[in-house]
Amino acid sequence: MPRSRAALFFQPADHHGFLLPVFTLEAQEGRLFAPLAYTKTFAMAGAALLSITLVPVLMLLFVRGRILPSTEIP
């Protein structure tokens, strides 16, 4: 798996792992912190989805010219 794809998957998974205790809170603490955890989870999922669907299309549209491989960059 290329490094960028691995980072794209494991970074949000890592953040969701940190939010797991927040999802298990009950009573007043759960009502207070659950919206924060859900909001961050949905925002991270949306950002990941856009980064693998919309960003490559926008790159094709807006990046012009020859793109050099990293081995040819001085």
Side-chain angles (χ1 to χ4, degrees), residues 7-23 36-45:
L8 183 66
F9 173 74
F10 287 113
Q11 192 268 340
D14 189 33
H15 275 75
H16 297 324
F18 289 128
L19 289 174
L20 204 55
V22 176
F23 286 119
L36 168 79
Y38 281 116
T39 301
K40 184 167 182 176
T41 300
F42 292 142
M44 296 287 288

Side-chain angles (χ1 to χ4, degrees), residues 24-49:
T24 62
L25 293 174
E26 297 178 358
Q28 184 176 358
E29 295 85 5
R31 288 191 307 270
L32 181 65
F33 292 112
L36 168 79
Y38 281 116
T39 301
K40 184 167 182 176
T41 300
F42 292 142
M44 296 287 288
L49 183 67

Side-chain angles (χ1 to χ4, degrees), residues 34-70:
L36 168 79
Y38 281 116
T39 301
K40 184 167 182 176
T41 300
F42 292 142
M44 296 287 288
L49 183 67
L50 284 176
S51 69
I52 60 174
T53 57
L54 181 64
V55 172
V57 173
L58 292 176
M59 285 180 56
L60 288 173
L61 292 174
F62 294 116
V63 176
R64 300 284 185 214
R66 182 172 175 254
I67 299 174
L68 297 174
S70 61

